[in-house]
Amino acid sequence: MDILGYLGSGWLPPALYLFLLLILSWRAKSGNEFAISGWLTQASIFVILILHGIELHDSVFTSQGFVFGFAQDLSLIAWVGLAFYWFQSWFLPIASLLWMSILFALFSSLLPIFFPGVLISPTAVSDPWFKAHFIVATISVGLLSLAAMQAMLMSVYDRALHRQLAIVPNGRLAHWLEDLPPLMTMEGLLFNLLYVGFALLTLTVFSGLLFSQALFGKPFVFDHKTIFAMISWILFAGLLIARWWVGLRGWAAIRWVLSAYVVLLLAYVGSRFVLEVVLQKA
């Protein structure tokens, strides 16, 4: 992408994410909390998301074809997670996810600079159904990433409540925990994210079979990505069934969410990482 005549604008989104984190850190240390700062933060995130999204689109859907890799996949996942956070933060008490979402986006937006991806298919970019499948897949993994972040926050919160985590009184961690919503509220948000993410993941996994011909020239490719994707789908399905059937919650639910998410990352990011970096194949 070319912004204001300057090339190499892939550095722009991570630079802006870093600048935003520095501003937020300064504001937290100085105690300069005022009403307009929240609106400025939301506006800043919105602008950065637009620039990041344009950069991702132009680097994936190119004139040569569909260019993709583990770095682009992770960057897209982080973008969707932050975008969903931005939207939901207007209505739900999820400010505790802000730092994690921006840090994840910062790290992930740096990766495509060093790992530009490979040409997967020269024709997929012209197929609107493939684009729809790709968008749904990205949104589903992005939402489940946000759910995994929520699960990690809940694990820290739960350990603190049970005094398994050393907390300095009046320290930054203590103040941060005080600002978190009740654990039951966080759990409700977690499962709302899981319901929507799983519905989209279901659509992704089974519709993906229709696009194997376009991408690989075969009606069905039974590879590591397919295996891990199906295992992840089964784990998430089992989690939601257990939630509905026996009211699964607490540490058991948190561990289940994180385990299923790790398998999901192995499917959609890990497989590409092994091919591109470890085996150095397209």
Side-chain angles (χ1 to χ4, degrees):
M1 186 176 66
D2 188 344
I3 297 180
L4 300 179
Y6 294 95
L7 296 176
S9 58
W11 288 98
L12 185 57
L16 292 175
Y17 283 130
L18 178 59
F19 181 72
L20 179 58
L21 282 174
L22 292 175
I23 294 296
L24 292 174
S25 178
W26 170 81
R27 194 182 71 183
K29 289 181 179 178
S30 62
N32 290 329
E33 298 288 344
F34 45 92
I36 196 173
S37 65
W39 289 87
L40 288 174
T41 299
Q42 292 290 81
S44 300
I45 294 173
F46 181 72
V47 171
I48 301 173
L49 281 171
I50 291 176
L51 295 174
H52 188 186
I54 293 173
E55 181 69 34
L56 280 170
H57 180 275
D58 291 352
S59 64
V60 171
F61 296 104
T62 69
S63 58
Q64 290 77 32
F66 180 62
V67 176
F68 205 58
F70 83 95
Q72 290 75 21
D73 201 358
L74 206 57
S75 188
L76 278 165
I77 290 170
W79 185 89
V80 170
L82 183 57
F84 191 77
Y85 162 84
W86 180 88
F87 177 76
Q88 289 290 81
S89 62
W90 293 100
F91 312 101
L92 298 173
I94 58 173
S96 53
L97 288 173
L98 175 62
W99 282 83
M100 293 182 69
S101 300
I102 296 178
L103 281 170
F104 185 33
L106 168 61
F107 170 75
S108 301
S109 62
L110 279 170
L111 291 178
I113 298 172
F114 305 101
F115 303 96
V118 295
L119 180 63
I120 302 296
S121 171
T123 59
V125 292
S126 60
D127 188 338
W129 289 106
F130 171 78
K131 273 195 172 183
H133 164 79
F134 179 76
I135 291 171
V136 170
T138 303
I139 293 175
S140 68
V141 183
L143 291 180
L144 292 172
S145 298
L146 203 59
M149 293 182 199
Q150 182 78 345
M152 287 186 281
L153 281 177
M154 289 175 60
S155 68
V156 174
Y157 199 0
D158 186 73
R159 289 178 60 193
L161 290 175
H162 291 84
R163 302 180 184 277
Q164 297 176 0
L165 191 64
I167 301 177
V168 178
N170 297 320
R172 186 174 299 178
L173 179 58
H175 288 302
W176 176 70
L177 289 173
E178 290 176 358
D179 292 334
L180 290 176
L183 199 57
M184 290 291 291
T185 302
M186 297 178 68
E187 187 174 90
L189 174 61
L190 171 65
F191 278 93
N192 286 338
L193 290 170
L194 289 172
Y195 291 140
V196 179
F198 177 73
L200 295 176
L201 180 64
T202 301
L203 184 60
T204 298
V205 169
F206 292 101
S207 68
L209 304 179
L210 302 176
F211 297 99
S212 293
Q213 183 70 38
L215 287 175
F216 306 106
K218 299 178 182 179
F220 179 73
V221 179
F222 196 71
D223 54 9
H224 292 85
K225 178 180 178 180
T226 304
I227 294 172
F228 281 120
M230 290 302 302
I231 293 175
S232 176
W233 183 87
I234 292 170
L235 288 174
F236 278 116
L239 168 65
L240 296 181
I241 291 172
R243 170 72 172 183
W244 172 74
W245 192 259
V246 298
L248 183 71
R249 55 181 303 183
W251 264 105
I254 291 171
R255 286 194 292 264
W256 203 327
V257 171
L258 295 178
S259 299
Y261 180 69
V262 169
V263 177
L264 185 67
L265 279 186
L266 289 175
Y268 286 93
V269 179
S271 59
R272 293 303 314 172
F273 178 82
V274 171
L275 286 173
E276 295 173 46
V277 179
V278 179
L279 302 179
Q280 296 185 348
K281 295 180 179 179

